[in-house]
Amino acid sequence: TLRCWAGGLAGLLKAAESGITAALGSLLTAALAPQSPLRAFDLLGNVLLHEVDTVLGTHMPGVFSPGVPHAFHANFLAAQVFLESLERRCTGR
């Protein structure tokens, strides 16, 4: 299950990033290219991020709970690294 993922949230998000690249790399490259008509779909924000958020909310509902401060901080940092990796794929509009 996702709750027992090796490496915690950081490992899970790293695996998700690798999976996204493997499965959607060429589509994302085309969709994020300047002047691409596919940019209108906002695949990163409306599809990928939404899906990751839904899965985390369903399978790891307390992942961003501040009740355990050191775990919250580690998970927050892992999420920031993941978001930055997605943002690096983007180019200016």
Side-chain angles (χ1 to χ4, degrees):
T1 68
L2 295 182
R3 293 174 202 243
C4 300
W5 192 269
L9 183 63
L12 175 66
L13 292 176
K14 187 67 176 166
E17 180 185 353
S18 296
I20 288 166
T21 300
L24 302 172
S26 58
L27 176 61
L28 283 175
T29 299
L32 296 173
Q35 309 302 322
S36 171
L38 296 174
R39 288 180 68 95
F41 295 109
D42 188 14
L43 291 174
L44 288 178
N46 292 330
V47 179
L48 293 175
L49 249 153
H50 175 72
E51 186 65 25
V52 170
D53 183 53
T54 299
V55 169
L56 289 178
T58 300
H59 298 284
M60 300 177 87
V63 73
F64 295 114
S65 172
V68 182
H70 69 278
F72 170 81
H73 187 249
N75 291 338
F76 174 79
L77 293 177
Q80 291 301 305
V81 168
F82 178 72
L83 291 173
E84 288 170 3
S85 75
L86 293 182
E87 288 175 347
R88 278 192 299 275
R89 296 174 177 272
C90 298
T91 56
R93 287 193 185 251

